[in-house]
């Protein structure tokens, strides 16, 4: 199998896993499929897909500017790949956004409702307009294909080519605006964002790092395409990109550190906590090490040197965007964010799909100079087809063939993805269960079901005396399990906040004769549901002794509801009877106690 | 009249009747803590909560209805709106679900309906419809101790300052929610304990947050024109130089061709 085919197999597998993840995300919502929560509203899809994605696609405007504004013909060979990378990159950003938005069918609303004080409004409009500009820059390339030989398409292509200069100026302007505005998004979070990342210069820093990573991505793309399509990389051109990159990255590092120093926050970088470590790592990978590598003429003339530096910059910018939007955001204790595999799968799927489209374009259109042009028809539309003289079967090596191996691989990947889905993802968001612990104590019971150290001190002996001694047990212990004297509350009300079933199915199955006994409870007709079985068979009528006559068949209410319902009803009645209104209020029972941890503190 | 409420933490007994009234008024579902909600009691189904502080002090937590709300400036489709009467309300018909408002709020108030396929942002709206009809917000009406009172913001600020002056040692010497807190809020507090913990990061700043964004965003037209002009100018200058250099070269080569010199140049 060739390198190219192997790579495409992997990309297709990742795309199909992404598709499974996508279906589940749209069917069951964000809560069921992502790790997002109220403390972390923005996660991987914003941090990586949108913010890093936009930055990584910055190569388009940088190279377009170099070639069409600064007339640096040296970079002409990467102009088309850079524009294609940018076009597909922004397409990926928009698709990624469709996954993250809670109401993605409203994605076009910023076009009709304007709130221009929002940095996000500015980002939305600029990305929209820039995506159109990129489309207009790439369409002429696609129209060169013989499929579009009709004069109508040629006229459109010609018109767009004549508009190249205004399009490039628009591209540079729009890119400058939205790359910096992505940084401006965080300006109104001075306390949420850790001081080493927050800065009034955020727009400038985001813009500079975008230019740097744009150059890096063009380098990475050039080297990767070269490897995949057996193309020698233009080391002179790459060295030029590297030199420009070094200047931009040194400037970035200087600005970032200088800004911290001027605002007196530089000492925070040496505090020794994980944030300062992350800051150092980020600065090293994003700026310092790559800039040092690229400052050496020898290193940047070597494909390995320039490639290493480029990969470091790409990783550094991704880290920077993830840090700013997720890692160093302050969040309340107890709520952390761990992306689910569905989030990773969607992100990887989008990137893989974009890579596949990129390869398709490179193979069918004149994107790379002297490029692969594997589309033989495009290379020579008038060539006669070739046939095997013996079998008279076409031997055109570039006819698409059905690849059984790839198809099986994709089905396998999809199957693994489906098997890896967890209950919430499959059925919709499930609230986690909170098991109840029993009350502790003797005369005075310490009721603290979830052991949160917020307990209610219940004077058991006092209440027994008040309500009539031994005869009064059944007023609260309203249901006893078979052969039991007084079942404690938590045995049936087994979850703090959710109703729980008290029916021991396994025990009954064994007692009544295993599988043969199903019909004893479940109707032998179509409707064999639990609800029908429970409502029709009233077993154990003797086990409902108290005033609260409830059949064992019902679900036990949540512990919280059960406690409140039992106690508060009585307390409210007593409060009215003895004219002590405080008796029925929360704070009477939920008294803060010495040594107990306070919630919210 | 700018609607506002003032909560005196010393009068709150933690009975949570305000929470009950709010949930009943808006048909909110029973509170079930989960891995999607923070421990402060607020969620998509809880728009006000009581946070207990050391020393048995009960502090209401909810949307502060800021005078210059960060969420309103952040929302790109104006789903979050500051009404002329004071409350900050949410229009779910135009929301796109980007959750930037949740990132922007310095108190971390807006909460999301993570469990549905059509999720909205939810928070206290100061009973906007009731206030517009001249009624009291549900929580104010339900409070048995009159710990939370409703009125015009300026009147309540004056009342709060009067209480501070009348009992010097009883409260922390500030009205929480005055202009020194993110530009001012409509939900004011008098408290014997510091309320910095209500803000994320525990720091109450006096900048009105929308201003921080506008410092950058206001420069956008200038930057756009500047960049476009610079690019146009650069292209013109470099293009011109290249054209002149071409013409120079042609002039140098052309006379040799025209005169058909026997020179050795090409």
């Amino acid at each position: 199998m060739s390198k190219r085919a192997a790579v495409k197999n992997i990309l297709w597998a990742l795309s199909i896993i992404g598709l499974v993840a996508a279906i589940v995300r749209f069917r069951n919502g964000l809560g069921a499929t992502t790790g997002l929560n109220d403390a972390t509203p923005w996660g991987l899809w914003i941090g990586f897909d949108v913010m890093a994605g936009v930055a990584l696609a910055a190569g388009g405007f940088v190279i377009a500017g170099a070639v069409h504004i600064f007339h640096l013909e040296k970079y002409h060979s990467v102009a088309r790949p850079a524009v294609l990378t940018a076009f597909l990159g922004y397409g990926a950003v928009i698709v990624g956004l469709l996954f993250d938005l809670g109401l993605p069918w409203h994605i076009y609303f910023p076009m009709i409702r304007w709130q221009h004080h929002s940095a996000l409004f500015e980002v939305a409009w600029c990305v929209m307009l820039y995506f159109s500009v990129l489309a207009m820059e790439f369409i002429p390339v696609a129209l060169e294909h013989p499929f579009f030989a009709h004069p109508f398409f040629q006229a459109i292509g010609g018109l767009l080519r004549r508009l190249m200069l205004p399009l490039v100026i628009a591209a540079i302007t729009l890119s400058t605006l939205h790359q910096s505005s992505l940084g401006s998004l965080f300006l109104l979070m001075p306390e949420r964002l850790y001081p080493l990342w927050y800065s009034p210069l955020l727009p400038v820093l985001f813009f500079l790092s975008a230019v740097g990573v744009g150059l890096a991505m063009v380098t990475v793309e050039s080297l990767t395409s070269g490897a995949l399509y057996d193309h020698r990389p233009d080391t002179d051109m790459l060295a030029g990109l590297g030199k420009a990159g070094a200047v931009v990255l040194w400037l970035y590092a200087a600005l970032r550190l200088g800004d911290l120093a001027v605002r007196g926050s530089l000492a925070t970088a040496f505090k020794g906590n994980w944030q300062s470590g992350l800051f150092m790592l980020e600065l090293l990978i994003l700026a310092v090490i790559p800039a040092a590598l690229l400052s050496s003429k020898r290193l940047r003339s070597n494909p390995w040197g320039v490639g290493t530096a480029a990969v470091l910059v790409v990783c550094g910018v991704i880290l920077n965007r993830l840090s700013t939007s997720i890692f160093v955001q302050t969040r309340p204790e107890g709520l952390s964010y761990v992306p689910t595999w569905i989030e990773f799968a969607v992100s990887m799927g989008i990137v893989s799909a974009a890579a596949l489209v990129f390869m398709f374009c490179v193979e069918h259109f004149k994107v790379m100079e002297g490029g692969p042009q594997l589309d033989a028809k495009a290379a020579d539309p008038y060539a006669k087809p070739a046939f095997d003289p013996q079998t008279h079967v076409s031997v055109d090596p570039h006819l698409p063939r059905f690849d059984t191996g790839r198809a099986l691989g994709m089905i396998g990947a999809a199957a693994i993805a489906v098997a890896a889905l967890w209950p919430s993802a499959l059925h919709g968001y499930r609230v986690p269960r909170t098991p109840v612990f029993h009350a502790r104590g003797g005369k005075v019971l310490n009721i603290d079901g979830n052991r949160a150290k917020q307990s209610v001190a219940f004077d058991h002996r006092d209440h027994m005396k008040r309500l009539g001694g031994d005869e009064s047990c059944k007023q609260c212990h309203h249901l006893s399990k078979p052969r039991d004297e007084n079942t404690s509350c938590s045995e049936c009300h087994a979850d703090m906040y959710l109703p729980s079933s008290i029916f021991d199915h396994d025990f009954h199955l064994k007692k009544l004769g295993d599988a043969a006994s199903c019909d004893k409870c479940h109707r032998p007709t179509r409707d064999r549901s639990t609800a029908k079985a429970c409502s029709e068979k009233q077993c154990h009528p003797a086990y409902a002794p108290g005033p609260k006559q409830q059949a064992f068949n019902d679900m036990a209410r949540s512990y919280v509801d059960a406690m409140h319902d039992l106690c508060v009803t009585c307390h409210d009645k007593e409060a009215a009877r003895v004219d002590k209104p405080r008796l029925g209020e929360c704070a009477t029972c939920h008294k803060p106690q010495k040594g107990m941890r306070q919630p919210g503190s | 009249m700018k609607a506002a409420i003032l909560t005196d933490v010393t009068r709150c007994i933690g009975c949570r009747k305000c929470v009950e009234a709010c949930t009943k008024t808006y048909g909110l579902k029973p509170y079930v803590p989960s891995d999607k909600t923070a421990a402060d009691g607020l969620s998509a189904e809880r728009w006000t909560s009581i946070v207990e502080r050391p020393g048995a002090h009960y502090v209401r937590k909810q949307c502060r209805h800021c005078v210059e709300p960060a969420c309103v400036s952040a929302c790109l489709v104006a789903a979050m709106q500051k009404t002329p009467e004071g409350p900050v309300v949410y229009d779910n018909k135009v929301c796109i679900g980007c959750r930037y408002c949740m990132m922007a709020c310095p108190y971390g108030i807006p909460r999301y309906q993570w469990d549905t396929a059509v999720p909205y942002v939810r928070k206290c709206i100061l009973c906007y419809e009731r206030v517009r009809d001249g009624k009291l917000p549900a929580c104010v009406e339900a409070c048995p101790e009159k710990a939370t009172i409703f009125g015009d913001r300026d009147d309540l600020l004056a009342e709060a300052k009067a209480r501070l002056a009348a009992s010097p040692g009883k409260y922390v010497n500030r009205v929480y929610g005055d202009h020194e807190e993110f530009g001012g809020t409509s939900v004011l507090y008098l408290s014997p304990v510091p309320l910095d913990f209500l803000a994320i990061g525990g720091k109450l700043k006096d900048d009105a947050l929308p201003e921080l964004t506008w410092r950058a965003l206001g420069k956008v037209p200038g930057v756009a024109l500047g960049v476009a002009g610079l690019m146009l100018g650069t292209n013109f200058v470099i293009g011109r130089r290249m054209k002149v250099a071409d013409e120079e070269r042609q002039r140098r080569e052309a006379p040799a061709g025209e005169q058909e010199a026997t020179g050795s140049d090409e």
Side-chain angles (χ1 to χ4, degrees):
Chain A
M1 195 194 294
S2 75
K3 247 185 316 196
R4 242 186 344 265
V7 166
K8 281 191 186 173
N9 281 347
I10 296 174
L11 292 176
W12 273 110
L14 288 172
S15 301
I16 207 79
I17 294 177
L19 183 64
V20 171
I23 293 171
V24 177
R25 177 264 176 266
F26 285 115
R27 194 176 167 275
N28 287 325
L30 287 169
T33 52
T34 68
L36 296 171
N37 51 49
D38 282 330
T40 314
W42 281 0
L44 188 74
W45 289 342
I46 294 288
F48 177 75
D49 286 34
V50 175
M51 302 196 60
V54 168
L56 296 186
F61 83 90
V62 173
I63 300 298
V67 172
H68 294 276
I69 302 291
F70 291 88
H71 299 283
L72 298 167
E73 292 305 315
K74 189 157 86 162
Y75 305 104
H76 202 270
S77 59
V78 280
R80 284 187 173 194
V83 166
L84 180 60
T85 310
F87 177 55
L88 294 176
Y90 276 80
V93 165
I94 294 172
V95 170
L97 203 50
L98 287 171
F99 282 90
D100 185 79
L101 289 180
L103 306 167
W105 49 93
H106 285 177
I107 192 173
Y108 65 94
F109 276 8
M111 290 165 87
I112 48 177
R113 285 184 67 91
W114 294 12
Q115 203 287 92
H116 63 281
H117 285 266
S118 166
L120 196 55
F121 177 76
E122 211 263 358
V123 169
W125 264 96
C126 286
V127 168
M128 236 186 334
L129 291 172
Y130 184 50
F131 188 61
S132 317
V133 165
L134 284 166
M136 287 194 275
E137 283 180 359
F138 188 71
I139 284 172
V141 177
L143 292 181
E144 285 169 6
H145 195 275
F147 183 79
F148 299 107
H150 193 277
F152 171 71
F153 295 119
Q154 295 306 307
I156 295 181
L159 169 70
L160 289 174
R161 266 193 215 92
R162 276 197 296 277
L163 289 175
M164 189 48 90
L165 183 64
L167 281 176
V168 169
I169 294 182
I172 297 174
T173 312
L174 290 168
S175 291
T176 308
L177 291 178
H178 73 250
Q179 295 287 359
S180 53
S181 291
L182 278 171
S184 302
L185 286 177
F186 299 95
L187 286 175
L188 50 53
M189 305 178 198
E191 295 311 317
R192 270 197 191 234
L193 199 49
Y194 196 78
L196 289 175
W197 277 263
Y198 183 83
S199 157
L201 282 187
L202 269 170
V204 177
L205 292 172
F206 265 55
F207 173 71
L208 274 179
S209 50
V211 172
V213 82
L215 294 165
M217 272 304 279
V218 172
T219 309
V220 167
E221 177 276 314
S222 178
L223 290 168
T224 319
S225 302
L228 280 178
Y229 294 102
D230 299 314
H231 219 207
R232 295 259 330 259
D234 182 349
T235 44
D236 189 41
M237 184 267 306
L238 290 177
L241 291 178
K243 192 163 162 194
V247 171
V248 170
L249 293 170
W250 282 129
L251 185 57
Y252 175 85
L255 261 181
R256 186 115 184 238
L257 290 168
D259 169 68
L260 283 177
V262 159
R263 286 183 303 119
S265 299
L266 199 52
T268 332
F270 301 100
K271 245 181 164 177
N273 52 12
W274 67 267
Q275 288 99 331
S276 60
L278 182 65
F279 171 76
M280 302 276 203
L281 181 70
E282 193 187 284
L283 206 58
L284 282 171
I285 306 182
L286 201 175
V288 175
I289 299 180
L293 290 173
L294 294 171
S295 298
S296 146
K297 188 165 175 163
R298 200 168 52 94
L299 279 173
R300 66 170 179 257
S301 307
N302 177 324
W304 284 102
V306 82
T308 312
V311 168
L312 283 173
V313 176
V314 169
C315 293
V317 165
I318 294 176
L319 183 61
N320 171 263
R321 300 308 195 248
L322 287 175
S323 300
T324 313
S325 52
I326 309 171
F327 300 153
V328 299
Q329 293 270 344
T330 314
R331 51 179 69 82
E333 272 173 42
L335 260 192
S336 58
Y337 168 65
V338 179
T340 60
W341 76 254
I342 286 187
E343 295 180 72
F344 284 109
V346 164
S347 297
M348 291 302 109
I350 294 175
V351 170
S352 306
L356 283 169
V357 175
F358 185 87
M359 291 177 82
F360 175 86
C361 291
V362 158
E363 289 164 16
H364 292 86
F365 307 128
K366 287 205 195 74
V367 175
M368 285 165 59
E369 263 170 34
Q373 282 284 265
L374 300 179
D375 187 336
K377 194 134 177 63
D380 183 2
Y382 299 105
K384 293 205 231 337
F387 294 93
D388 181 291
Q390 305 283 332
T391 61
H392 302 288
V393 171
S394 163
V395 293
D396 183 350
H398 305 300
L399 271 181
R401 271 191 323 275
F402 183 73
D403 189 338
T404 331
R406 178 175 297 166
L408 285 176
M410 280 166 65
I411 292 174
I416 293 175
V418 170
L421 290 172
W422 60 95
S424 272
L426 270 176
H427 303 294
Y429 181 68
R430 294 236 164 119
V431 177
R433 300 203 75 92
T434 322
V436 180
F437 295 91
H438 57 88
R440 296 175 288 198
K443 296 188 291 211
V444 172
L445 282 175
N446 189 329
I447 306 181
D448 186 2
N450 56 356
R451 294 290 185 264
K453 296 206 169 48
Q454 302 155 29
S455 59
V456 171
F458 175 65
D459 196 332
H460 194 230
R461 194 166 70 163
D462 175 75
H463 279 77
M464 268 182 76
K465 268 212 307 254
R466 255 176 225 273
L467 297 169
D470 280 338
E471 286 306 306
S472 68
C473 296
K474 54 180 179 265
Q475 284 189 46
C476 298
H477 297 273
H478 63 98
L479 207 60
S480 299
K481 287 167 102 175
R483 299 202 300 274
D484 198 7
E485 286 224 326
N486 287 310
T487 306
S488 71
C489 316
S490 56
E491 280 188 65
C492 296
H493 301 279
D495 187 280
M496 282 296 285
Y497 306 102
L498 301 171
S500 28
S501 168
I502 55 176
F503 182 70
D504 192 342
H505 194 254
D506 287 334
F507 172 81
H508 284 80
L509 202 58
K510 250 198 331 234
K511 206 83 199 309
L512 295 172
D514 279 326
S517 66
C518 297
D519 285 346
K520 289 209 172 80
C521 298
H522 295 280
R523 298 156 100 221
T525 58
R526 278 205 80 166
D527 189 349
R528 298 175 72 85
S529 63
T530 313
K532 274 292 176 191
C534 295
S535 67
E536 292 189 351
K537 304 272 177 202
Q538 294 283 321
C539 309
H540 308 294
Y543 292 132
K548 285 181 173 282
Q549 296 274 352
Q550 272 179 299
F552 262 111
N553 306 318
D554 281 351
M555 296 281 276
R557 304 172 70 193
S558 73
Y559 193 67
V560 167
D561 283 345
M563 292 287 107
H564 287 152
D565 206 33
L566 187 65
C567 312
V568 175
T569 326
C570 214
H571 272 233
D572 276 341
K573 268 209 305 254
E574 276 299 291
R577 190 178 73 87
V578 302
D579 195 25
K580 279 206 175 109
R582 290 279 161 90
L583 252 174
E585 280 166 7
C586 308
T588 308
C589 299
H590 293 280
K591 271 201 283 276
Q593 286 148 30
K594 240 198 275 190
M596 299 288 173
R597 190 178 70 83
Q598 300 298 330
S601 57
Chain B
M1 122 104 158
K2 290 268 182 266
I5 61 177
L6 169 65
T7 301
D8 190 327
V9 174
T10 58
R11 294 194 191 179
C12 178
I13 57 167
C15 70
R16 290 166 173 86
K17 286 209 159 58
C18 51
V19 178
E20 195 190 1
C22 176
T23 55
K24 286 219 166 63
T25 307
Y26 291 99
L28 303 180
K29 298 201 288 238
Y31 175 69
V32 179
S34 73
D35 51 356
K36 299 292 181 192
T37 63
D40 59 5
L42 290 177
S43 73
E45 302 295 326
R46 270 291 173 281
W47 301 355
T48 184
S49 72
I50 300 288
V51 178
E52 291 184 42
R53 296 300 288 169
H57 299 290
Y58 303 98
V59 180
R60 291 189 65 194
K61 184 168 180 181
Q62 66 209 48
C63 173
R64 301 293 293 273
H65 299 280
C66 302
V67 171
E68 288 204 56
C71 62
V72 170
S73 82
C75 182
L76 76 172
V77 287
M80 287 287 186
Q81 294 157 15
K82 175 79 176 169
T83 57
E85 293 86 348
V88 175
V89 299
Y90 168 74
D91 185 355
N92 64 10
K93 289 192 295 299
V94 302
C95 174
I96 70 173
C98 71
R99 309 185 298 282
Y100 188 27
C101 57
M102 294 173 72
M103 295 286 286
C105 177
Y107 303 99
I109 296 300
R111 302 293 158 105
Y112 212 48
Q113 291 181 306
W114 298 106
D115 55 350
T116 71
V118 182
Y120 297 126
V121 176
R122 310 251 276 180
K123 69 172 189 69
C124 162
I125 52 170
L126 244 190
C127 284
Y128 180 55
E129 258 113 53
R130 289 171 61 111
V131 163
R132 240 189 356 195
D133 292 341
K135 301 210 283 263
L136 290 174
C139 55
V140 173
E141 212 172 48
C143 182
E145 299 293 313
K146 299 273 174 288
T148 294
I149 56 177
F150 175 79
D152 172 73
R153 185 168 182 268
D154 294 325
D155 294 344
L156 288 177
L157 273 170
E159 165 68 25
K161 292 206 173 84
R163 289 191 201 180
L164 274 179
S167 325
K170 192 170 172 196
Y171 307 103
V172 168
N173 193 20
R174 68 178 284 182
V175 180
Y176 284 99
D178 65 3
H179 62 277
E180 280 171 22
E181 192 168 336
F182 301 114
T185 75
S186 304
V187 171
L188 310 164
Y189 292 86
L190 282 171
S191 170
V193 292
L195 296 187
D196 302 60
F197 72 91
L198 285 175
I200 292 187
K203 290 202 201 80
L204 299 176
K205 303 199 70 180
D206 59 4
D207 301 304
L209 296 176
E211 177 57 32
L212 297 175
T213 313
W214 191 247
R215 277 182 208 157
L217 225 50
K219 302 193 170 75
V220 159
V223 168
L225 286 172
V227 168
L230 188 65
M231 292 298 114
L232 205 56
T234 311
N235 177 59
F236 179 74
V237 164
I238 297 184
R240 187 116 186 93
R241 260 200 232 150
M242 284 170 66
K243 195 157 151 218
V244 164
D246 270 344
E247 280 169 4
E248 271 280 331
R249 203 165 11 101
Q250 274 173 15
R251 235 184 316 117
R252 262 185 284 123
E253 288 166 7
E258 276 170 2
Q259 292 166 16
E260 288 181 29
T262 51
S264 50
D265 300 314
E266 298 292 28

